[in-house]
Amino acid sequence: MGDLGVGFRYLMNGQRWALSHGKTFGLGLLPGLITLVVYAAALVALAFGADDLIAWATPFADGWGSPWLGLFRGFLTAVLFALGLMLAVITFTSVTLLVGSPFYDAVSERVDASIDGNVPTSGRSFWYDLWVSTRDSLRILVRAAIWGVLLFALGFIPVVGQTAIPVAGFFVTGFFLTEELASVALARRDVDLRGRLTLLRSRRMLAWGFGVPLALAYVIPFVAVFLMPGAVAGATLLSRDLLGEPTAPTADAVPGAGEAAPAGLAKPRPTPRPSADRP
């Protein structure tokens, strides 16, 4: 259970780092704002069209009497919107990271430099890295969609579908959010998608402690935009922990690379570094 607190501390220290770098923080809001406008329009369209979509998908219920028809379709409409919101939260991070890729890479590199002066790079071209990031994001989206469909189906179970399933949805969302954000730092270390998932599954509590509070915060309009720069910074700390690298400044830290760098974190737990071709 201690990893839950460590993951949450990384999230908070990442936000503290971002707020202490005002200019960097300000520039980091632009990709999120662009993505937010697009997603807000999509969610509004879903909210207005969900009733018609559910009515079209359930013609067998047309003859049901009141109040069962309204209750049944109202429940399905709410579940559909919740599913859309879950996918929006997960994919918002992916799309924002793609839109602001150069900026968020710079944030992650500055956090690395502020700790031990070591700034790993993939050695690949920007366009190749962008392609890999896009491909991995699509793979994560497919995984998230499968979980979304499963949770949607389980939502039909009485009582459980209205209590435990929404909670499970936030845990699933939090895990995938953590993977997306940690990919910025881990991809620079040549840890591929399979390796990233293996690392996070070995420390699920750590991933949930970081990602679940973030997923809950992302439900509030505009909050995701302001949390993105700090979330990337915090995920860099989490990534270093997963790989057994220091998460507090050492004697080799680059002066000025990360003024007010996050400190006071728990000692990292050594974890074997997965190779790109080994799960």
Side-chain angles (χ1 to χ4, degrees):
M1 293 295 290
D3 265 353
L4 280 173
V6 175
F8 184 70
R9 268 204 311 277
Y10 288 144
L11 177 61
M12 292 297 98
N13 279 281
Q15 299 305 320
R16 194 175 301 128
W17 184 95
L19 290 174
S20 69
H21 295 73
K23 184 177 180 180
T24 301
F25 176 74
L27 290 174
L29 299 181
L30 295 178
L33 285 172
I34 294 171
T35 309
L36 179 64
V37 170
V38 175
Y39 273 62
L43 286 174
V44 168
L46 177 62
F48 280 100
D51 288 340
D52 293 336
L53 182 60
I54 291 297
W56 171 82
T58 57
F60 57 86
D62 288 341
W64 291 11
S66 179
W68 305 115
L69 176 62
L71 290 174
F72 176 69
R73 286 182 170 167
F75 167 70
L76 289 184
T77 299
V79 172
L80 177 63
F81 187 78
L83 174 60
L85 187 61
M86 171 187 166
L87 293 178
V89 169
I90 295 173
T91 59
F92 177 88
T93 300
S94 304
V95 174
T96 304
L97 289 175
L98 289 175
V99 173
S101 178
F103 166 79
Y104 294 124
D105 278 339
V107 169
S108 181
E109 289 170 1
R110 287 191 67 186
V111 173
D112 278 329
S114 71
I115 294 175
D116 60 4
N118 179 34
V119 182
T121 58
S122 66
R124 300 183 293 260
S125 70
F126 166 77
W127 294 110
Y128 185 79
D129 275 341
L130 185 63
W131 153 247
V132 171
S133 178
T134 303
R135 181 194 64 191
D136 289 348
S137 294
L138 289 174
R139 290 176 175 175
I140 288 296
L141 177 59
V142 170
R143 286 176 165 85
I146 292 172
W147 273 101
V149 171
L150 176 61
L151 292 174
F152 179 81
L154 293 176
F156 287 97
I157 301 176
V159 183
V160 175
Q162 293 76 50
T163 54
I165 299 307
V167 174
F170 275 109
F171 276 86
V172 171
T173 303
F175 182 87
F176 285 125
L177 270 180
T178 303
E179 191 287 324
E180 286 289 337
L181 290 162
S183 68
V184 177
L186 292 175
R188 288 191 292 106
R189 291 162 166 81
D190 288 325
V191 181
D192 64 2
L193 177 59
R194 179 180 295 182
R196 297 196 296 268
L197 290 174
T198 298
L199 283 171
L200 290 170
R201 285 167 182 158
S202 71
R203 303 278 300 278
R204 280 189 174 88
M205 289 294 183
L206 182 69
W208 286 335
F210 184 92
V212 172
L214 196 60
L216 290 168
Y218 274 19
V219 173
I220 304 172
F222 298 105
V223 168
V225 175
F226 292 97
L227 294 184
M228 272 299 295
V232 172
T236 301
L237 294 171
L238 182 143
S239 300
R240 296 179 67 92
D241 187 339
L242 288 171
L243 296 174
E245 299 174 3
T247 57
T250 68
D252 295 323
V254 176
E259 315 96 82
L265 303 175
K267 290 184 179 180
R269 180 188 304 176
T271 305
R273 184 192 299 266
S275 64
D277 57 355
R278 179 170 57 87

